[in-house]
Amino acid sequence: MVQKNILVTILINNYNNEKYLKKSITSCLKQTYNNLEIIVYDDRSTDSSKKILTKIRHKKVKKIFNLRKNYQSSALNQFEAIRKSFKKAK
């Protein structure tokens, strides 16, 4: 049996990628499949990423802003970003 209208979730983890952030989100929104959500996790960026994200107002884009550093290891911080994003996904 084939299901129709399956919700697709796109996870974007971001840390100081202001140069590519808007283009990445725009690319996701231009997909031909419409039943999707985009979750962007910003891990305390020090560039203009947060400003870019706050300007994006689209019902398919959900934003998570990490407010504090959880681990000394960047790999563990990346894992935490993925975990929190999955928790927010429908």
Side-chain angles (χ1 to χ4, degrees):
M1 180 168 81
V2 177
Q3 288 184 314
K4 294 184 179 181
N5 281 340
I6 296 172
L7 179 64
V8 173
T9 302
I10 301 170
L11 306 177
I12 300 174
N13 291 336
N14 178 64
Y15 177 72
N16 289 344
N17 285 308
E18 67 181 341
K19 184 175 178 182
Y20 308 104
L21 186 59
K22 188 173 181 180
K23 189 174 183 177
S24 297
I25 294 169
T26 303
S27 175
C28 293
L29 290 171
K30 287 183 179 179
Q31 297 302 306
T32 57
Y33 189 79
N34 288 321
N35 195 21
L36 58 89
E37 67 179 352
I38 303 162
I39 299 175
V40 183
Y41 182 95
D42 184 73
D43 196 14
R44 297 176 37 142
S45 293
T46 57
D47 62 0
S48 297
S49 294
K50 189 172 182 179
K51 185 183 283 188
I52 292 167
L53 283 173
T54 54
K55 287 182 181 179
I56 296 174
R57 300 197 192 284
H58 196 285
K59 65 181 181 176
K60 292 183 180 183
V61 179
K62 299 176 183 177
K63 298 164 260 190
I64 303 171
F65 295 100
N66 185 21
L67 302 176
R68 64 184 179 89
K69 190 173 183 179
N70 296 317
Y71 304 101
Q72 295 297 322
S73 165
S74 59
L76 287 175
N77 283 318
Q78 192 71 341
F79 175 75
E80 184 71 6
I82 294 167
R83 188 184 71 77
K84 286 183 179 179
S85 298
F86 267 118
K87 284 180 79 174
K88 188 154 183 125
K90 289 183 180 176

